Every structure is written in structure tokens, then in C-alpha cells.
Amino acid sequence: MRSPLAGNFVSQQLRLIFSTSQPPIQLTPHYLISSKTPVDAGAPPQATHKTFNPPRPDSFRRLEEERVLTEFKESVVQVWQGPGRLSSGAHGTTNEEVVKSWPGRPFEMPDGWNQVFGAERFRAAEGMFDVKMALSDASNPAPSPAQALPALIQASLSAVDVDIRPHLLSNIIVTGGTSLLYGFTDRLNSELSSMFPGPRVRLTAAGNTAERRFGAWIGGSILASLGSFHQMWISKKEYEEHGANIVEKRCK
């Protein structure tokens, strides 16, 4: 089972939040800034920009903008930990209204513009769990309910025998850079405990940041280093001759 709701999705949510803010928040990458002057929160930036001849390609700017978004995700973005969802609440007040009264988190853009971010820091990641809260536009359609992370896990469990579902629920591995968002593991545990109140839900997540970010690569390197792994190698000629089915036959 796969879902597009991961790191790139959160980055795109941030771009939509920035573009719809009043006034819009400009995303200027580090390489374009020559110097900057400190300004008060919310004040227009006072920075000197670099010029390049020929100009850098759009793909390079997009890559450098992603660096800034990654810094923002690591220092500001937060996942609503529960109970319930950000759009739900009690006594006629949503949890989104509740977090507006919480202390915000400051962030400074490369050009010196800075602001303290409140409830919007929760909104960026909420769409991974509650697709109704996902921001969308013509270029970024809203995700379907089946793509939400809890629904994805539920669909994966439904595809296996009933008897082994409790064992899988008690051995869920949380990995990947997006899982490092503050509150991610607690929220996922809350969602799954609500969906499956009977079985025990246990999440396992590496404490080391590098292991969490590069778990797939580390696992692949361990597999490739095994002495018996060469027996499962598939040549390009074999793949072209037999198609994808050869992977399942060779790697049983």
C-alpha cells in the first residue's frame, strides 16, 4: 500500500499556507541573499539579493526552496497529538481554536522576514490524518480519504488474514523523515487506538534521527551485503524477458 501523503505533501501544504497568507509569505532561498538587516516580526524584509548571469535554472531554485521548507518543518511544523482531530473538539470549540491560544513557534526566512507561527503550524501536517483539512488548489487536488495514513494502515490490515492482524498492530515500524515531525508518533498511536480499540497497538520507532531518515537505505545496504543476496540478483535481460513476475519468483 502506498500514499502520496508524505514529505512532499507537507511541503506543498506549506507553500499553499504561505501563498494564501495575508500578506503572502515569500519563499526566498538562501543562495539568493547577499545580506540582510534584522527586522521586527511581520515587518517587510530588508535584504540585498544576489544576481546570476546566466540565471540559475528553475529546478535549482525549487531544490533550494525545499531546503528552507525542510528547516521550517524541522523547527516549526507540529502534528496535533490528539485526542480527536484538529477539526474536532468539545463544547462547541474545535481543537484548532484551542491551539490558537498556545505559544507559537518563531521562524526567520533567509531574507530576514520573521514571524511567530500559531495554529497554522498544525495545519500543514493535519491532511495526512484528516484529508478534509488538507489545503488544495487547481494544481494540487485534495487527497482522497483512502490516502490518509490511518486508512492506509487499515487497508493493509484488511488485506491479510484476520488471525495475524493483532500481531501486525503490535509491530508497526515508524520510519522516514516525515515521521520525525513533532507529535507524529503520538498522533498515529491515538488514531490507531481509536480505530482498533480491542487489539494492542504498539509503534516502534528508532530513536536515532539518522536511522529514522535513512532506514530504507540502511536496510537495503544490509540486505545487499549478505553473502546469499547475489542469488537473488536479476539481470536486465532476465527482467525484460520475464517481466515483473520474476521478482516474486526469485525472491521467495
Side-chain angles (χ1 to χ4, degrees):
M1 301 289 181
R2 299 183 65 183
S3 172
L5 307 189
N8 289 340
F9 170 78
V10 178
S11 293
Q12 196 56 46
Q13 291 291 288
L14 289 173
R15 289 179 184 274
L16 290 172
I17 289 173
F18 292 166
S19 63
T20 56
S21 298
Q22 294 299 327
I25 300 173
Q26 299 299 319
L27 185 56
T28 305
H30 291 276
Y31 80 95
L32 286 177
I33 304 301
S34 175
S35 63
K36 61 183 178 181
T37 301
V39 295
D40 293 333
Q46 297 182 21
T48 303
H49 291 70
K50 294 179 181 178
T51 57
F52 297 91
N53 188 21
R56 298 292 189 267
D58 292 341
S59 59
F60 180 75
R61 170 156 186 160
R62 184 86 179 184
L63 175 66
E64 290 299 301
E65 287 178 351
E66 192 62 36
R67 278 186 57 200
V68 180
L69 293 174
T70 297
E71 294 169 2
F72 189 91
K73 285 187 281 188
E74 291 175 346
S75 58
V76 177
V77 173
Q78 187 172 345
V79 179
W80 169 253
Q81 296 172 257
R85 297 183 170 181
L86 193 63
S87 59
S88 63
H91 310 296
T93 302
T94 66
N95 290 322
E96 189 171 13
E97 291 295 324
V98 172
V99 298
K100 288 181 180 179
S101 62
W102 292 7
R105 291 187 176 184
F107 186 80
E108 182 178 305
M109 290 291 186
D111 61 3
W113 180 92
N114 66 94
Q115 181 172 295
V116 176
F117 290 85
E120 58 267 56
R121 74 180 188 270
F122 292 92
R123 190 72 187 269
E126 184 65 14
M128 292 192 295
F129 299 91
D130 182 7
V131 296
K132 293 183 295 184
M133 292 291 287
L135 300 173
S136 61
D137 60 11
S139 302
N140 301 278
S144 67
Q147 292 175 326
L149 296 184
L152 192 71
I153 295 174
Q154 186 177 38
S156 299
L157 289 172
S158 299
V160 301
D161 190 82
V162 175
D163 294 335
I164 67 172
R165 292 176 189 175
H167 300 288
L168 293 178
L169 276 170
S170 63
N171 291 279
I172 296 175
I173 307 299
V174 180
T175 189
T178 301
S179 70
L180 291 166
L181 292 175
Y182 185 81
F184 180 93
T185 305
D186 291 335
R187 173 62 177 279
L188 186 58
N189 184 72
S190 176
E191 291 275 349
L192 295 178
S193 298
S194 177
M195 293 174 68
F196 306 100
R200 178 192 178 193
V201 176
R202 186 179 67 179
L203 305 182
T204 301
N208 185 287
T209 299
E211 287 184 20
R212 189 91 70 91
R213 290 182 62 193
F214 306 114
W217 295 99
I218 295 172
S221 68
I222 294 173
L223 177 63
S225 67
L226 296 177
S228 58
F229 183 67
H230 71 277
Q231 299 172 8
M232 294 183 284
W233 288 357
I234 299 170
S235 68
K236 179 181 178 182
K237 182 178 179 181
E238 289 176 316
Y239 188 87
E240 291 174 345
E241 181 179 351
H242 301 283
N245 290 332
I246 193 175
V247 178
E248 184 176 352
K249 293 178 182 178
R250 187 69 60 85
C251 300
K252 283 185 178 180

